[in-house]
Amino acid sequence: MANLSRVLSVLAAAAVGALVAWVFLRPAAFRQPDSAVVVEQMREVARLETLEVALYKKVTFTPEPESTDALWKDVLLWASYTLKNPHGRAIVFADAHLGFDFQRFDASHLRATGTRVDVLLPPMVVTVALRPGETEVIDSNLDSAQTAQLLEKARLAFEREVRQDARLKDKARQSAERSLRGLLLTLGFREVHFVERLPLGTAG
């Protein structure tokens, strides 16, 4: 009888221990973080995840004559361009920045359901900044205004090329998604999906 009592006591103690362990070790109920906090933290991460690319190219430039109202002035202007033959060549260096416009990102771009969150990224932004200290103007008889036109033409051409580069845009997107997914997982979400369109439902 005594042995039975000891067995029952051991079983009871084990049951109590298991209950205590379950109470203290069970996963805490998930509480969705405040949307405003999530948005602000995502903006901070996105600022750090802008893809930067170094560019360079040799460009040439021949300015177009400006038109005037007077026919003879036009003739003289064309003649001066023909005689002087203004032209310029330069090796232009620049930095391209590819990122997402998170200034336009708010809670309407998120849809949270339990531990799942869907994210609609804002439009991608491409900017190009020239590096004047490394740019080399060669074989040029352009004045300062024409040289500025040459460099602006090069900057716009760089920007257009980057906007059309699917590989660079995909790389920028993957980098941003990777960092944002890591952030959202640390906030308690277990499923993070980047979507082209948010599903119907209540925004997070």
Side-chain angles (χ1 to χ4, degrees), residues 22-90:
W22 180 81
V23 169
F24 285 97
L25 298 179
R26 65 178 178 173
F30 173 69
R31 294 180 59 186
Q32 288 185 6
D34 182 71
S35 295
V37 174
V38 175
V39 167
E40 186 56 36
Q41 292 191 31
M42 291 180 72
R43 284 176 175 173
E44 290 299 323
V45 169
R47 290 191 189 103
L48 300 176
E49 282 304 317
T50 300
L51 179 66
E52 296 189 1
V53 182
L55 308 167
Y56 75 94
K57 182 173 290 189
K58 182 182 289 186
V59 296
T60 59
F61 179 69
T62 301
E64 292 292 337
E66 297 179 1
S67 62
T68 66
D69 294 331
L71 176 61
W72 286 107
K73 286 184 178 180
D74 282 346
V75 173
L76 292 174
L77 187 60
W78 274 101
S80 67
Y81 268 79
T82 301
L83 293 174
K84 293 181 181 179
N85 185 28
H87 62 275
R89 287 189 299 158

Side-chain angles (χ1 to χ4, degrees), residues 80-189:
S80 67
Y81 268 79
T82 301
L83 293 174
K84 293 181 181 179
N85 185 28
H87 62 275
R89 287 189 299 158
I91 301 175
V92 182
F93 293 82
D95 292 312
H97 305 269
L98 296 88
F100 290 90
D101 185 8
F102 268 78
Q103 293 303 313
R104 297 171 57 182
F105 185 85
D106 56 28
S108 68
H109 290 76
L110 298 173
R111 196 82 69 199
T113 306
T115 58
R116 173 190 171 121
V117 61
D118 295 307
V119 181
L120 177 63
L121 291 175
M124 184 172 289
V125 176
V126 175
T127 59
V128 172
L130 298 182
R131 288 188 277 172
E134 299 181 35
T135 295
E136 181 182 359
V137 177
I138 54 178
D139 186 24
S140 174
N141 62 0
L142 303 178
D143 59 28
S144 58
Q146 292 166 340
T147 300
Q149 292 178 40
L150 179 148
L151 296 178
E152 177 62 11
K153 176 183 178 182
R155 189 191 68 79
L156 293 174
F158 277 137
E159 189 173 289
R160 186 166 56 250
E161 283 187 359
V162 174
R163 289 182 187 279
Q164 296 174 352
D165 193 322
R167 182 185 60 83
L168 284 179
K169 291 195 294 185
D170 186 59
K171 184 177 181 181
R173 184 181 184 90
Q174 288 183 18
S175 178
E177 288 184 359
R178 183 165 53 250
S179 296
L180 293 173
R181 178 177 285 106
L183 168 67
L184 292 168
L185 291 175
T186 62
L187 294 177
F189 293 103

